[in-house]
Amino acid sequence: MAANVRASNVRTSIRVEGVVQGVGFRPFVYSLATRLGLAGWVGNDVDGVFAEVEGPAEQIRDFLAALERDAPPLARVERVSAQPMSPDGCPGFAIVASDTGGRRRALVSADSATCADCLRELADPADRRFGYPFINCTNCGPRFTIVAGVPYDRPLTTMAGFTMCAACAAEYHDPADRRFHAQPVCCPACGPRLRLLAADGTELSGPDGAAEDALARAAGVLAAGQVLAVKGLGGYHLAADAASDQAAARLRSRKHREDKPFAVMAADLAAVRALCEVDDVAAALLASLRRPIVLLPRRDGTGPGPGRLAGSVAPGNRQLGVMLPYTPLHHLLLRDFGRPIVLTSGNVSDEPIAYQDGDALARLGGIADAFLTHDRPIHIRTDDSVVRPFRGREAVLRRSRGYVPEPLAVAGRFARPVLACGAELKNTFCLGRGNHAFLSHHIGDLENYETLRSFTGGIAHFRRLFDVEPQIVAHDLHPEYLSTKYALEQDGCVLAGVQHHHAHIASCLVDNGEPGPVIGVAFDGTGYGTDGTIWGGEFLLADLAGAERAGHLAGVPMPGGAAAIRQPWRMAAAYLDAAFPGGLPAGLDVAARNSDTWPDVLALARRGVNSPVTSSAGRLFDAVAALLGIRDTINYEGQAAVELEQLAATSRCDPYPAAVTDGQPLTVAGSDLVRAAATDLLAGVPREVIGARFHQGVATMIGEACGLLRDRSGLGTVALSGGVFQNLLLLGTVVDLLERRGFRVLTHSRVPPNDGGISLGQAVVAAAWDRAGRLPN
Ligand SMILES: [Zn+2]
Ligand SMILES: [Zn+2]
């Protein structure tokens, strides 16, 4: 023992795992240790943060307690382990250099909205970053979207090209500064520069290129009713005055987006409250550092005043997607413009969002009148996340910017690393390693080359970032999914094909931290069944390792195959034919509207020619939407069902009855609901009431089927998953009804119920098979 070691002192070696790098964890440890009078050091390595602290035992205890409790806002501490060691008596506390060798296990954090400290500086004329659109610190700013590699250090971010000025470098190297090791730290003297460009790329901001000038002119573009492209964190957005009918309509027609609602960005909570009903949960979601788009019930919005919204922003929708500014640039633009703006992804139609400057100018040049842009590159395209409050908690519908790449903890370990390739639409992929599932950002619909490139490039990026070399590749059973084809091309890996609806229920189990078994209700549009038919209205007895198809909607033909997905009236024909086997009643408008082809489509359905049989719940909603004259053809996936939900009265009505036939598997006659709806329609019952009775009928039918399955299996927990449960009216009604019947009900919270959650489900099913020894070595 060295001479200067105090006998009462102890020394402890500490390791902290989780999202602890690039989030100010070392300075936090440094200031905590110095405040408690402890000696030692702290550093980063491939596993996270490690430290040794020495001092009186009581202070060490306080230190350990504060490590998790007072961690910086962007840190996610997963584990703290402490080991006693012999004191060495060295005084002082130091931050030591990063050790970058070995396997990388530290986690990159998600992008974060501008923090309150930075906002204060942004608004302070005396601050050297006053009005600077790229202000950030250890507690806020870009992360995932600028990281090109690990370890997370400036040379491996898109800030590598900006050399810090002396003032920024001093802050960066000062452990007591709130910008210590903030990799994107910069200022007007050394950092990215804002510019306003015309659609042809010529510079519109003043000769000195001052940010104020570019911003003021950009606000002028919005005020003139024009379309402004804005470079954000994960890509370009298109912005327009949300109160201007002309501006919103112009954006809609140029973007070739016919009906899908636009999201709106408002300056603060008060501005959102003028547009929407905001309760405490919604306010917390809006103001969180993740800053997602939050779907909220909208106010009327037709009159003048701050709540005014152009009719074409979210036509025919009771909900509105709203978000608060999340970059300094957004804050400044909203301040200068003074009103809410439409802020929608910078793309044409269904293409992926533009994120590279040249590509953005080329692709958006025909849509935007001007570009508010800058020279900090975006490394990876990342869309805004979409959430909504449901029963007092967050329910994520699209998990992307602000959430990714934060891992989801899973109870069952990945014995071998897994890559899960996800579904075809709303694709995400997922990497599994140890107790972590790295669910990717929203990739999109894998139908065009650009999206497929995002998919393959994203997988390569995640594999590098998290150092995962997959030994198992999980995929959907659908042979035509591009994600399946990609999986089958991977050499030297064990393949695990996971049924689509099993993956849905497994993702809901992981979301709730439960292993099952449960009664799984998976209702969606399309999923490949184990019998080669198209499933989508499924009752499964499932846990992570297995699923038995215990019930489903009775099959109906899809006349014309995929054409029946794009043209819901074809499903109305098929369902009406099943509902009225003796012949269709006269006077149905849906038949009259489509009289040219109606007889041929009926004939297709009856003969089974080019008419695959489906148990899809999405197609049942489509049929009723078309029957009610809501929509005969769709412009985006799920549109008819979305509009049926919006039309339906929310007041309680008597449910339509549907026969549930017990059996192995049990079947539910969706055609009973269609017959009741058609009969009411011909009797002149208002469509709002028919829509409500239909929703109640679907919920009642789910309740009855679950009751029969509980009798059979003894299971009292129901997990609800699949895109159909994005329907808030249906979801709320089903949860109420099941709880009244004494069920425990699991719904989605952290993971989307739609196909964005499929890859996570695939990953944990494959891991369960692996743990059970059911996969080859
Ligand atoms: Zn900050
Ligand atoms: Zn600087």
Side-chain angles (χ1 to χ4, degrees), residues 128-129 132 154 163-169 171 185-191:
R128 68 191 188 90
R129 294 188 180 86
Y132 182 55
R154 190 161 173 122
T163 307
M164 277 182 268
C165 68
C168 285
E171 293 169 332
V185 70
C186 59
C187 75
C190 67

Side-chain angles (χ1 to χ4, degrees), residues 345-437:
S345 47
N347 56 8
V348 182
S349 196
D350 292 325
E351 289 173 5
I353 181 170
Y355 72 109
Q356 286 162 327
D357 300 330
D359 178 54
L361 271 171
R363 276 166 58 200
L364 307 180
I367 304 178
D369 296 292
F371 287 75
L372 188 60
T373 185
H374 57 79
D375 51 353
R376 184 180 69 206
I378 297 169
H379 184 76
I380 190 156
R381 163 192 291 136
T382 315
D383 294 82
D384 290 320
S385 295
V386 181
V387 309
R388 69 181 176 204
F390 180 71
R391 311 225 157 176
R393 66 174 186 167
E394 174 176 43
V396 172
L397 298 176
R398 183 166 75 196
R399 189 177 180 275
S400 213
R401 193 254 317 144
Y403 294 75
V404 171
E406 204 174 280
L408 297 155
V410 294
R413 277 183 68 80
F414 292 96
R416 286 185 283 178
V418 174
L419 163 67
C421 298
E424 176 87 347
L425 299 178
K426 296 188 168 67
N427 175 276
T428 60
F429 60 84
C430 182
L431 285 173
R433 184 195 69 191
N435 285 90
H436 286 146

